[in-house]
Amino acid sequence: MNALRKYLNNVKPNFEEGGKLHALKSVFDGFETFLFVPNTTAKSGAHIHDAIDSKRIMSMVVIALMPAMLFGMYNVGYQNYLAAGTLASASFLEVFCYGFLAVLPKILVSYIVGLGIEFIWAQWKGEEIQEGYLVSGIIIPLILPIGCPLWMLAVACAFAVIFAKEIFGGTGMNIFNVAIAARMFLFFSYPSKMTGDTIWVAQDSIFGLGNTLPDGFTAATPLGQIGQGTDVTASLSDMVLGFIPGSIGETSVIAIAIGAVILLWMGIASWKTMLSVFVGGGLMACLFEQLGMTPIHWYEHIVLGGFCFGAVFMATDPVTSARTETGKYIYGFLIGALAVIIRVMNPGYPEGMMLAIFFGNMVAPLIDHCIVARNISKRMKRGGTK
Protein backbone atom coordinates (compact mmCIF):
# COMPACT_ATOMS: atom_id res chain seq x y z
CA MET A 1 0.00 0.00 0.00
CA ASN A 2 2.91 2.35 0.69
CA ALA A 3 4.18 1.80 -2.84
CA LEU A 4 0.73 2.56 -4.27
CA ARG A 5 0.46 5.69 -2.12
CA LYS A 6 3.88 6.85 -3.33
CA TYR A 7 2.94 6.22 -6.95
CA LEU A 8 -0.30 8.20 -6.64
CA ASN A 9 1.58 11.10 -5.05
CA ASN A 10 4.05 11.10 -7.96
CA VAL A 11 1.38 11.17 -10.70
CA LYS A 12 -1.04 13.48 -8.88
CA PRO A 13 0.51 16.74 -10.22
CA ASN A 14 -0.44 15.63 -13.73
CA PHE A 15 -4.12 15.79 -12.73
CA GLU A 16 -3.94 19.11 -10.89
CA GLU A 17 -4.80 22.45 -12.49
CA GLY A 18 -2.25 23.11 -15.21
CA GLY A 19 -1.23 19.45 -15.52
CA LYS A 20 -1.44 17.67 -18.85
CA LEU A 21 -4.23 15.42 -17.53
CA HIS A 22 -6.12 18.08 -15.56
CA ALA A 23 -9.31 17.28 -17.51
CA LEU A 24 -9.41 13.94 -15.68
CA LYS A 25 -8.99 15.42 -12.19
CA SER A 26 -12.40 14.17 -11.00
CA VAL A 27 -11.61 10.63 -12.17
CA PHE A 28 -8.25 10.59 -10.37
CA ASP A 29 -9.75 12.08 -7.22
CA GLY A 30 -12.51 9.47 -7.16
CA PHE A 31 -9.99 6.64 -7.54
CA GLU A 32 -7.63 8.06 -4.92
CA THR A 33 -10.27 8.71 -2.28
CA PHE A 34 -11.72 5.24 -2.84
CA LEU A 35 -8.36 3.66 -1.95
CA PHE A 36 -7.22 6.05 0.78
CA VAL A 37 -8.83 8.30 3.37
CA PRO A 38 -8.43 11.94 2.17
CA ASN A 39 -5.92 13.99 4.19
CA THR A 40 -7.74 17.27 3.60
CA THR A 41 -9.48 19.07 6.47
CA ALA A 42 -12.33 21.57 6.63
CA LYS A 43 -11.25 25.23 6.73
CA SER A 44 -14.48 26.78 8.01
CA GLY A 45 -17.88 25.95 9.43
CA ALA A 46 -18.94 23.39 12.00
CA HIS A 47 -17.91 19.81 11.19
CA ILE A 48 -17.87 16.48 12.99
CA HIS A 49 -14.60 14.59 12.57
CA ASP A 50 -14.87 10.81 12.44
CA ALA A 51 -12.72 7.87 11.40
CA ILE A 52 -15.18 6.85 8.67
CA ASP A 53 -16.43 8.76 5.66
CA SER A 54 -19.28 8.15 3.26
CA LYS A 55 -17.15 6.03 0.92
CA ARG A 56 -16.34 3.65 3.78
CA ILE A 57 -20.03 3.49 4.72
CA MET A 58 -20.94 2.61 1.14
CA SER A 59 -18.20 -0.03 1.10
CA MET A 60 -19.62 -1.66 4.23
CA VAL A 61 -23.09 -1.76 2.67
CA VAL A 62 -21.61 -3.50 -0.38
CA ILE A 63 -19.99 -6.05 1.94
CA ALA A 64 -23.35 -6.59 3.66
CA LEU A 65 -24.90 -7.26 0.24
CA MET A 66 -22.38 -9.99 -0.59
CA PRO A 67 -24.27 -12.90 1.06
CA ALA A 68 -27.47 -12.09 -0.84
CA MET A 69 -25.57 -11.63 -4.09
CA LEU A 70 -23.58 -14.86 -3.79
CA PHE A 71 -26.62 -16.91 -2.86
CA GLY A 72 -28.54 -15.27 -5.69
CA MET A 73 -25.89 -16.45 -8.12
CA TYR A 74 -26.17 -19.99 -6.79
CA ASN A 75 -29.96 -19.89 -6.93
CA VAL A 76 -29.92 -18.85 -10.59
CA GLY A 77 -27.94 -21.97 -11.42
CA TYR A 78 -30.03 -24.07 -9.03
CA GLN A 79 -33.31 -23.06 -10.66
CA ASN A 80 -31.89 -23.68 -14.13
CA TYR A 81 -30.64 -27.18 -13.34
CA LEU A 82 -33.77 -27.98 -11.33
CA ALA A 83 -36.12 -27.07 -14.18
CA ALA A 84 -33.92 -28.92 -16.68
CA GLY A 85 -34.09 -32.05 -14.51
CA THR A 86 -30.30 -32.31 -14.17
CA LEU A 87 -29.82 -30.94 -10.65
CA ALA A 88 -29.01 -34.32 -9.12
CA SER A 89 -26.06 -34.83 -11.47
CA ALA A 90 -24.68 -31.28 -11.15
CA SER A 91 -21.95 -30.37 -8.69
CA PHE A 92 -22.04 -27.32 -6.42
CA LEU A 93 -19.34 -25.66 -8.52
CA GLU A 94 -21.24 -26.22 -11.76
CA VAL A 95 -24.43 -24.76 -10.32
CA PHE A 96 -22.67 -21.73 -8.85
CA CYS A 97 -20.56 -21.04 -11.94
CA TYR A 98 -23.63 -21.07 -14.13
CA GLY A 99 -25.32 -18.49 -11.91
CA PHE A 100 -22.11 -16.48 -11.51
CA LEU A 101 -21.63 -16.18 -15.26
CA ALA A 102 -25.30 -15.30 -15.74
CA VAL A 103 -25.35 -12.56 -13.08
CA LEU A 104 -21.88 -11.06 -13.57
CA PRO A 105 -22.71 -9.30 -16.88
CA LYS A 106 -25.65 -7.55 -15.19
CA ILE A 107 -23.45 -6.23 -12.39
CA LEU A 108 -20.82 -5.09 -14.90
CA VAL A 109 -23.38 -3.29 -17.06
CA SER A 110 -24.88 -1.60 -14.00
CA TYR A 111 -21.53 -0.26 -12.83
CA ILE A 112 -20.19 0.64 -16.28
CA VAL A 113 -23.30 2.64 -17.21
CA GLY A 114 -23.94 4.19 -13.79
CA LEU A 115 -20.35 5.07 -12.91
CA GLY A 116 -19.72 6.19 -16.48
CA ILE A 117 -22.51 8.75 -16.15
CA GLU A 118 -21.21 9.74 -12.70
CA PHE A 119 -17.72 10.35 -14.13
CA ILE A 120 -19.02 12.34 -17.09
CA TRP A 121 -21.29 14.41 -14.85
CA ALA A 122 -18.45 15.17 -12.42
CA GLN A 123 -16.16 16.23 -15.24
CA TRP A 124 -18.85 18.42 -16.75
CA LYS A 125 -19.64 20.12 -13.44
CA GLY A 126 -16.01 20.24 -12.27
CA GLU A 127 -16.91 18.44 -9.04
CA GLU A 128 -15.72 15.39 -7.14
CA ILE A 129 -17.08 12.00 -8.14
CA GLN A 130 -19.77 11.02 -5.66
CA GLU A 131 -19.78 7.61 -4.07
CA GLY A 132 -23.48 6.82 -3.75
CA TYR A 133 -23.58 4.59 -6.83
CA LEU A 134 -21.22 2.08 -5.20
CA VAL A 135 -24.31 0.68 -3.47
CA SER A 136 -26.94 1.40 -6.09
CA GLY A 137 -24.80 -0.27 -8.76
CA ILE A 138 -25.02 -3.64 -7.04
CA ILE A 139 -28.57 -3.33 -5.68
CA ILE A 140 -30.15 -2.63 -9.08
CA PRO A 141 -29.20 -6.01 -10.62
CA LEU A 142 -30.16 -7.83 -7.42
CA ILE A 143 -33.76 -6.56 -7.45
CA LEU A 144 -34.39 -7.48 -11.10
CA PRO A 145 -35.46 -10.81 -12.63
CA ILE A 146 -32.62 -12.82 -14.13
CA GLY A 147 -34.32 -12.62 -17.52
CA CYS A 148 -34.07 -8.83 -17.71
CA PRO A 149 -32.09 -8.01 -20.90
CA LEU A 150 -28.81 -6.16 -20.50
CA TRP A 151 -29.88 -3.28 -22.73
CA MET A 152 -32.97 -2.77 -20.58
CA LEU A 153 -30.81 -2.77 -17.44
CA ALA A 154 -28.51 -0.17 -19.02
CA VAL A 155 -31.44 2.11 -19.87
CA ALA A 156 -32.83 1.79 -16.33
CA CYS A 157 -29.44 2.62 -14.76
CA ALA A 158 -29.04 5.67 -16.96
CA PHE A 159 -32.55 6.88 -16.16
CA ALA A 160 -32.10 6.35 -12.41
CA VAL A 161 -28.73 8.11 -12.18
CA ILE A 162 -29.75 11.10 -14.28
CA PHE A 163 -33.37 11.68 -13.28
CA ALA A 164 -33.46 10.30 -9.74
CA LYS A 165 -30.06 11.47 -8.53
CA GLU A 166 -27.98 13.94 -10.49
CA ILE A 167 -30.86 16.19 -11.46
CA PHE A 168 -31.55 16.70 -7.74
CA GLY A 169 -27.93 17.57 -6.95
CA GLY A 170 -26.25 14.20 -6.55
CA THR A 171 -25.60 11.96 -3.55
CA GLY A 172 -27.39 13.14 -0.43
CA MET A 173 -29.83 15.34 -2.33
CA ASN A 174 -32.00 12.77 -4.10
CA ILE A 175 -35.60 12.36 -3.01
CA PHE A 176 -36.07 8.81 -4.24
CA ASN A 177 -33.87 5.77 -3.77
CA VAL A 178 -31.89 5.34 -7.01
CA ALA A 179 -32.36 1.57 -7.19
CA ILE A 180 -36.09 1.95 -6.58
CA ALA A 181 -36.28 4.48 -9.41
CA ALA A 182 -34.60 2.00 -11.77
CA ARG A 183 -37.02 -0.76 -10.77
CA MET A 184 -40.08 1.49 -11.09
CA PHE A 185 -38.92 2.72 -14.49
CA LEU A 186 -38.63 -0.84 -15.78
CA PHE A 187 -41.92 -1.94 -14.24
CA PHE A 188 -43.96 0.80 -15.88
CA SER A 189 -41.98 0.88 -19.15
CA TYR A 190 -41.58 -2.87 -19.74
CA PRO A 191 -44.22 -4.60 -17.57
CA SER A 192 -44.03 -7.88 -19.50
CA LYS A 193 -40.41 -8.30 -18.35
CA MET A 194 -41.07 -7.28 -14.74
CA THR A 195 -44.00 -9.50 -13.74
CA GLY A 196 -44.09 -12.00 -10.90
CA ASP A 197 -42.48 -14.59 -13.18
CA THR A 198 -38.79 -15.24 -13.67
CA ILE A 199 -37.61 -16.07 -17.19
CA TRP A 200 -34.66 -18.42 -17.43
CA VAL A 201 -32.98 -17.90 -20.78
CA ALA A 202 -30.82 -20.60 -22.36
CA GLN A 203 -27.10 -19.82 -22.09
CA ASP A 204 -25.34 -22.52 -24.07
CA SER A 205 -22.27 -20.32 -24.47
CA ILE A 206 -21.39 -20.41 -20.76
CA PHE A 207 -18.50 -22.84 -21.19
CA GLY A 208 -20.95 -25.68 -21.79
CA LEU A 209 -22.01 -25.76 -18.14
CA GLY A 210 -25.01 -28.03 -17.69
CA ASN A 211 -28.18 -28.55 -19.66
CA THR A 212 -29.89 -25.23 -20.19
CA LEU A 213 -33.56 -24.61 -20.80
CA PRO A 214 -35.35 -23.69 -24.00
CA ASP A 215 -35.56 -19.95 -24.72
CA GLY A 216 -38.55 -18.37 -23.02
CA PHE A 217 -38.98 -20.94 -20.26
CA THR A 218 -40.88 -19.29 -17.41
CA ALA A 219 -40.90 -20.26 -13.74
CA ALA A 220 -43.60 -18.62 -11.64
CA THR A 221 -42.51 -17.09 -8.35
CA PRO A 222 -44.64 -17.81 -5.27
CA LEU A 223 -46.10 -14.29 -5.38
CA GLY A 224 -46.72 -14.74 -9.09
CA GLN A 225 -48.66 -17.92 -8.31
CA ILE A 226 -50.80 -16.03 -5.82
CA GLY A 227 -51.49 -13.32 -8.39
CA GLN A 228 -52.58 -15.99 -10.88
CA GLY A 229 -54.91 -17.53 -8.32
CA THR A 230 -52.99 -20.81 -8.02
CA ASP A 231 -51.60 -22.53 -4.94
CA VAL A 232 -48.07 -21.78 -3.76
CA THR A 233 -45.91 -24.85 -4.37
CA ALA A 234 -42.83 -23.74 -2.39
CA SER A 235 -42.35 -24.95 1.19
CA LEU A 236 -41.65 -22.58 4.07
CA SER A 237 -38.09 -23.90 4.37
CA ASP A 238 -37.44 -23.16 0.69
CA MET A 239 -38.87 -19.66 1.17
CA VAL A 240 -36.53 -18.96 4.08
CA LEU A 241 -33.46 -20.59 2.54
CA GLY A 242 -34.17 -18.98 -0.82
CA PHE A 243 -34.50 -21.95 -3.19
CA ILE A 244 -37.38 -20.38 -5.11
CA PRO A 245 -37.66 -18.39 -8.35
CA GLY A 246 -37.43 -14.64 -7.87
CA SER A 247 -35.28 -11.58 -8.30
CA ILE A 248 -31.59 -12.38 -8.00
CA GLY A 249 -30.83 -11.11 -4.50
CA GLU A 250 -34.24 -11.21 -2.84
CA THR A 251 -34.97 -14.90 -2.30
CA SER A 252 -32.84 -15.92 0.71
CA VAL A 253 -34.02 -14.61 4.07
CA ILE A 254 -30.95 -16.05 5.77
CA ALA A 255 -28.51 -14.28 3.43
CA ILE A 256 -30.39 -11.01 3.87
CA ALA A 257 -30.39 -11.50 7.67
CA ILE A 258 -26.59 -11.82 7.62
CA GLY A 259 -26.43 -8.51 5.79
CA ALA A 260 -28.80 -6.96 8.33
CA VAL A 261 -26.55 -8.05 11.21
CA ILE A 262 -23.54 -6.43 9.49
CA LEU A 263 -25.40 -3.16 8.92
CA LEU A 264 -26.72 -3.00 12.48
CA TRP A 265 -23.41 -4.03 14.05
CA MET A 266 -21.60 -1.28 12.11
CA GLY A 267 -24.28 1.25 13.07
CA ILE A 268 -25.00 2.05 9.42
CA ALA A 269 -28.69 1.13 9.22
CA SER A 270 -31.42 2.19 11.64
CA TRP A 271 -32.91 -0.68 13.63
CA LYS A 272 -35.96 1.49 14.26
CA THR A 273 -36.76 1.72 10.56
CA MET A 274 -35.95 -1.92 9.94
CA LEU A 275 -38.02 -3.23 12.84
CA SER A 276 -41.02 -1.05 12.13
CA VAL A 277 -41.16 -2.28 8.51
CA PHE A 278 -41.52 -5.85 9.75
CA VAL A 279 -44.04 -4.84 12.42
CA GLY A 280 -46.17 -2.92 9.93
CA GLY A 281 -46.07 -5.71 7.36
CA GLY A 282 -46.70 -8.43 9.93
CA LEU A 283 -49.70 -6.69 11.52
CA MET A 284 -51.29 -5.91 8.17
CA ALA A 285 -50.72 -9.48 6.95
CA CYS A 286 -52.30 -10.83 10.15
CA LEU A 287 -55.33 -8.62 9.59
CA PHE A 288 -55.79 -9.80 6.01
CA GLU A 289 -55.33 -13.44 7.07
CA GLN A 290 -58.02 -13.09 9.75
CA LEU A 291 -60.35 -11.53 7.18
CA GLY A 292 -59.69 -14.40 4.78
CA MET A 293 -58.37 -12.06 2.08
CA THR A 294 -55.01 -13.75 1.51
CA PRO A 295 -54.36 -17.41 0.63
CA ILE A 296 -51.06 -17.57 2.54
CA HIS A 297 -50.13 -17.16 6.20
CA TRP A 298 -49.05 -13.76 7.48
CA TYR A 299 -45.43 -14.81 8.01
CA GLU A 300 -45.18 -15.98 4.40
CA HIS A 301 -45.81 -12.40 3.28
CA ILE A 302 -42.69 -11.45 5.25
CA VAL A 303 -40.37 -14.07 3.77
CA LEU A 304 -41.60 -13.90 0.17
CA GLY A 305 -40.68 -11.47 -2.60
CA GLY A 306 -38.60 -8.41 -1.88
CA PHE A 307 -40.02 -7.68 1.59
CA CYS A 308 -36.92 -8.62 3.62
CA PHE A 309 -34.48 -7.19 1.08
CA GLY A 310 -36.40 -3.92 0.90
CA ALA A 311 -36.69 -3.63 4.69
CA VAL A 312 -32.97 -4.23 5.28
CA PHE A 313 -31.20 -2.54 2.37
CA MET A 314 -33.59 0.00 0.85
CA ALA A 315 -36.03 1.32 3.44
CA THR A 316 -33.04 2.11 5.67
CA ASP A 317 -31.35 4.32 3.06
CA PRO A 318 -30.28 7.32 5.20
CA VAL A 319 -30.77 9.81 2.35
CA THR A 320 -34.35 8.99 1.32
CA SER A 321 -35.79 7.70 4.60
CA ALA A 322 -37.10 9.63 7.60
CA ARG A 323 -34.35 11.14 9.74
CA THR A 324 -36.12 11.98 12.99
CA GLU A 325 -36.10 9.18 15.54
CA THR A 326 -39.88 9.07 15.94
CA GLY A 327 -40.31 9.53 12.21
CA LYS A 328 -38.33 6.35 11.54
CA TYR A 329 -40.99 4.29 13.32
CA ILE A 330 -43.80 5.90 11.32
CA TYR A 331 -41.91 5.68 8.05
CA GLY A 332 -41.03 2.01 8.46
CA PHE A 333 -44.49 1.01 9.65
CA LEU A 334 -46.07 2.77 6.67
CA ILE A 335 -43.83 0.94 4.20
CA GLY A 336 -44.45 -2.49 5.71
CA ALA A 337 -48.21 -2.04 5.89
CA LEU A 338 -48.47 -0.53 2.41
CA ALA A 339 -46.42 -3.35 0.86
CA VAL A 340 -48.88 -5.98 2.09
CA ILE A 341 -51.90 -3.85 1.16
CA ILE A 342 -50.65 -3.58 -2.42
CA ARG A 343 -49.99 -7.31 -2.62
CA VAL A 344 -53.42 -8.31 -1.34
CA MET A 345 -55.60 -5.61 -2.87
CA ASN A 346 -53.96 -5.52 -6.31
CA PRO A 347 -53.59 -9.02 -7.81
CA GLY A 348 -52.05 -7.50 -10.93
CA TYR A 349 -49.05 -6.35 -8.90
CA PRO A 350 -48.14 -9.24 -6.57
CA GLU A 351 -44.88 -7.62 -5.38
CA GLY A 352 -45.68 -4.44 -3.46
CA MET A 353 -42.49 -3.74 -1.53
CA MET A 354 -40.72 -1.58 -4.08
CA LEU A 355 -43.79 0.55 -4.74
CA ALA A 356 -44.31 0.92 -0.98
CA ILE A 357 -40.75 2.21 -0.51
CA PHE A 358 -41.24 4.60 -3.43
CA PHE A 359 -44.29 6.11 -1.71
CA GLY A 360 -42.44 6.07 1.61
CA ASN A 361 -39.67 8.17 0.06
CA MET A 362 -42.31 10.66 -1.06
CA VAL A 363 -43.75 11.21 2.41
CA ALA A 364 -40.54 10.94 4.45
CA PRO A 365 -39.88 14.73 4.39
CA LEU A 366 -43.49 15.36 5.44
CA ILE A 367 -43.17 12.90 8.33
CA ASP A 368 -39.99 14.62 9.54
CA HIS A 369 -41.58 18.06 9.16
CA CYS A 370 -44.58 17.07 11.28
CA ILE A 371 -42.38 15.52 13.98
CA VAL A 372 -40.11 18.57 14.17
CA ALA A 373 -43.08 20.99 14.18
CA ARG A 374 -44.73 18.97 16.97
CA ASN A 375 -41.55 19.01 19.06
CA ILE A 376 -41.15 22.77 18.59
CA SER A 377 -44.76 23.34 19.59
CA LYS A 378 -44.37 21.22 22.75
CA ARG A 379 -41.19 23.04 23.79
CA MET A 380 -42.79 26.43 23.25
CA LYS A 381 -45.73 25.43 25.41
CA ARG A 382 -43.41 24.21 28.18
CA GLY A 383 -41.54 27.52 28.03
CA GLY A 384 -44.71 29.54 28.09
CA THR A 385 -44.02 31.04 24.64
CA LYS A 386 -46.96 31.87 22.43
Side-chain angles (χ1 to χ4, degrees):
M1 294 302 290
N2 290 334
L4 179 59
R5 176 71 271 177
K6 184 177 180 180
Y7 173 77
L8 291 177
N9 289 338
N10 290 335
V11 301
K12 189 172 184 177
N14 296 322
F15 297 90
E16 298 293 344
E17 196 67 33
K20 58 183 178 180
L21 298 176
H22 70 277
L24 299 177
K25 180 180 179 181
S26 296
V27 177
F28 178 83
D29 180 74
F31 180 74
E32 181 188 27
T33 54
F34 178 78
L35 294 174
F36 299 97
V37 177
N39 59 2
T40 56
T41 57
K43 301 299 182 181
S44 62
H47 299 272
I48 298 176
H49 296 268
D50 201 346
I52 189 170
D53 60 6
S54 55
K55 283 187 175 64
R56 272 66 194 173
I57 292 175
M58 298 299 173
S59 299
M60 290 307 303
V61 177
V62 171
I63 292 173
L65 284 162
M66 287 295 105
M69 184 193 72
L70 293 174
F71 183 87
M73 291 177 173
Y74 179 81
N75 189 47
V76 168
Y78 177 91
Q79 295 298 327
N80 178 82
Y81 280 90
L82 178 65
T86 57
L87 182 61
S89 60
S91 66
F92 173 87
L93 185 60
E94 287 177 324
V95 174
F96 179 80
C97 285
Y98 181 92
F100 173 80
L101 293 173
V103 175
L104 182 61
K106 299 184 183 300
I107 297 176
L108 291 177
V109 167
S110 176
Y111 273 120
I112 290 172
V113 173
L115 289 179
I117 295 175
E118 294 265 15
F119 280 25
I120 294 172
W121 198 282
Q123 290 295 125
W124 175 44
K125 302 290 288 185
E127 300 173 347
E128 295 181 358
I129 294 174
Q130 299 171 343
E131 60 280 348
Y133 199 78
L134 290 175
V135 173
S136 301
I138 194 172
I139 288 183
I140 292 175
L142 295 185
I143 61 176
L144 299 180
I146 186 62
C148 179
L150 294 180
W151 69 265
M152 194 180 296
L153 173 61
V155 172
C157 291
F159 172 86
V161 172
I162 296 173
F163 293 101
K165 182 181 178 184
E166 298 298 349
I167 203 169
F168 288 99
T171 300
M173 305 295 291
N174 50 299
I175 300 174
F176 300 106
N177 183 286
V178 176
I180 291 291
R183 167 91 183 211
M184 297 299 295
F185 171 80
L186 287 177
F187 178 80
F188 289 111
S189 300
Y190 308 99
S192 62
K193 296 291 187 179
M194 298 296 293
T195 62
D197 297 334
T198 301
I199 301 174
W200 307 90
V201 182
Q203 309 212 18
D204 295 319
S205 61
I206 302 183
F207 304 126
L209 292 176
N211 297 321
T212 53
L213 304 175
D215 289 343
F217 176 85
T218 302
T221 64
L223 289 177
Q225 292 174 332
I226 296 173
Q228 297 167 5
T230 59
D231 294 332
V232 176
T233 57
S235 65
L236 180 60
S237 61
D238 284 342
M239 296 177 189
V240 174
L241 294 174
F243 295 109
I244 56 177
S247 296
I248 298 170
E250 295 180 351
T251 60
S252 177
V253 176
I254 294 178
I256 294 170
I258 294 173
V261 171
I262 295 174
L263 293 180
L264 295 174
W265 180 50
M266 296 298 297
I268 295 174
S270 168
W271 66 266
K272 297 176 182 178
T273 301
M274 201 180 295
L275 176 63
S276 57
V277 172
F278 287 104
V279 172
L283 290 178
M284 189 57 63
C286 284
L287 176 60
F288 281 126
E289 183 180 5
Q290 294 300 316
L291 295 175
M293 298 177 64
T294 176
I296 59 176
H297 297 294
W298 68 270
Y299 49 83
E300 292 177 315
H301 275 288
I302 304 301
V303 299
L304 286 178
F307 194 96
C308 289
F309 190 93
V312 171
F313 295 110
M314 306 182 81
T316 56
D317 176 16
V319 175
T320 58
S321 64
R323 304 187 184 189
T324 57
E325 297 305 309
T326 303
K328 292 176 182 178
Y329 290 114
I330 301 173
Y331 169 81
F333 187 92
L334 176 65
I335 289 176
L338 188 58
V340 177
I341 291 174
I342 295 172
R343 285 181 179 181
V344 176
M345 304 298 291
N346 185 4
Y349 188 38
E351 173 55 85
M353 190 59 177
M354 299 304 158
L355 187 58
I357 296 176
F358 185 82
F359 284 122
N361 292 165
M362 290 177 60
V363 301
L366 177 61
I367 293 173
D368 284 339
H369 172 77
C370 292
I371 296 299
V372 171
R374 177 175 174 271
N375 289 341
I376 292 175
S377 177
K378 290 175 62 176
R379 291 182 179 182
M380 291 178 67
K381 289 181 179 179
R382 285 200 301 265
T385 306
K386 295 184 180 180

